[in-house]
Amino acid sequence: MVHTRIELPAREIAGSKERRFTPSVTTYIIENNNEIDRNRRRPVILICPGGAYGFKSFREAEPVALRMMALGFNACVLDYSVAPMDFPAAFMDVCEAVFYIRSHAKELNSDPDKIVVCGFSAGGHLAASLGVWWNSGMVEQYLPYKGEEVKPNALLLGYPVISSGKFAHQGSIANLLGNKFGISELMDKVSLEKNVSSSTPPAFVWHTANDDLVPVQNSLLFTAALAEHGVAFESHIFRSGCHGLSLATKESTGTPVLVEDDVAVWPELFQKFLNGLFKQN
């Protein structure tokens, strides 16, 4: 396994009063071997842990990366900006990460056309943000890249924060926007169900019906928008389980309430979805 931490550029935001956090990716790359396939290029899963844009959960980082490796994927974990920050710092970080992975795909044994951005809770909001904003002009506004260079090929969203409206997790949206919270134009922009288009990448989305922190309506609003715009997706709403399940196994928690056998099947469901999606492409 190639396991290393790589610092990414921390570009300044015009007018920002906050010192820019230096983002990084930690790699979990399966090494090629002559006995199997020395030239194999695997899909890579870029993982954005949750934490309400206030911290980043370890449970939604390394355990997920190791599970993705076990399924035959390469993985990277993004350490991105959290509060206090100026919008759109976190978005710039995920763009930098995708650009790095795509431009270094050969050395990462990865397929540059099979980059999946994954996120949980607020990390799901970050992943979905790139999915809906990659061609909005924001990339070119803040970074020296074109939107196509940082476009994800698919999304993996676990109990994502999506909306800033009735079903919002207000703490996540407040941390994301900082002193810009409440500005109508930005509130609509970060309500991602309103920004889905036919150019949004295919998505695998899962949630639990009784999530008491980020209501399941967040995922329902997003998948309804995907359906409206003809975007391929697969959605799994599990009957029971609290917020923040991650893998829903003992490997990702020390708390029994976060172990849900019925939910723990989601990585295999995602694997089938992704294999089918990329086989078609």
Side-chain angles (χ1 to χ4, degrees):
M1 177 176 71
V2 179
H3 182 52
T4 187
R5 179 178 175 273
I6 300 156
E7 287 194 355
L8 302 172
R11 304 179 197 278
E12 296 300 322
I13 303 172
S16 174
K17 296 180 181 179
E18 296 293 340
R19 182 179 178 183
R20 279 285 276 128
F21 170 79
T22 300
S24 66
V25 290
T26 300
T27 66
Y28 298 78
I29 305 298
I30 301 171
E31 294 188 74
N32 288 340
N33 186 283
N34 289 340
E35 291 185 31
I36 302 175
D37 183 353
R38 65 181 180 181
N39 297 313
R40 181 174 294 186
R41 296 287 196 95
R42 301 174 186 270
V44 58
I45 317 299
L46 174 63
I47 301 164
C48 305
Y53 282 117
F55 72 101
K56 286 144 289 190
S57 170
F58 173 81
R59 297 189 309 99
E60 295 165 348
E62 183 168 277
V64 178
L66 295 176
R67 188 73 185 94
M68 292 296 107
M69 289 185 68
L71 294 173
F73 305 130
N74 289 326
C76 294
V77 174
L78 175 61
D79 189 9
Y80 59 90
S81 299
V82 295
M85 62 175 170
D86 280 329
F87 179 81
F91 172 74
M92 294 167 66
D93 297 342
V94 73
C95 288
E96 295 284 5
V98 172
F99 183 84
Y100 180 88
I101 292 167
R102 184 160 281 140
S103 59
H104 292 78
K106 185 175 181 179
E107 63 196 76
L108 295 174
N109 298 333
S110 298
D111 190 327
D113 297 319
K114 296 180 179 178
I115 298 175
V116 181
V117 181
C118 162
F120 300 87
S121 193
H125 186 276
L126 180 56
S129 294
L130 184 55
V132 301
W133 293 342
W134 70 268
N135 62 344
S136 69
M138 282 184 65
V139 176
E140 292 83 354
Q141 180 181 354
Y142 291 99
L143 297 164
Y145 311 131
K146 295 180 180 179
E148 291 81 2
E149 295 178 285
V150 300
K151 177 187 177 183
N153 300 104
L155 302 173
L156 165 55
L157 309 177
Y159 42 90
V161 174
I162 293 292
S163 181
S164 66
K166 178 180 178 181
F167 300 107
H169 182 257
Q170 293 290 349
S172 293
I173 304 301
N175 283 335
L176 172 64
L177 293 179
N179 60 13
K180 299 174 185 175
F181 180 76
I183 298 175
S184 178
E185 180 183 354
L186 285 181
M187 295 295 284
D188 282 344
K189 191 170 191 66
V190 302
S191 203
L192 303 182
E193 77 278 11
K194 298 180 180 180
N195 294 268
V196 171
S197 72
S198 60
S199 299
T200 301
F204 181 96
V205 185
W206 71 272
H207 218 120
T208 55
N210 62 342
D211 190 320
D212 59 351
L213 192 61
V214 176
V216 69
Q217 284 89 342
N218 282 264
S219 286
L220 296 176
L221 287 168
F222 193 71
T223 54
L226 294 175
E228 180 180 350
H229 290 278
V231 178
F233 72 92
E234 183 168 319
S235 175
H236 295 271
I237 307 300
F238 297 98
R239 177 182 60 84
S240 180
C242 62
H243 186 74
L245 289 176
S246 184
L247 297 175
T249 68
K250 292 180 180 178
E251 294 303 315
S252 61
T253 183
T255 306
V257 72
L258 294 175
V259 177
E260 290 279 356
D261 291 341
D262 291 343
V263 180
V265 299
W266 75 257
E268 287 80 10
L269 296 173
F270 165 71
Q271 179 189 37
K272 292 179 180 178
F273 167 79
L274 197 66
N275 288 345
L277 177 69
F278 288 153
K279 184 178 181 180
Q280 293 174 5
N281 296 336

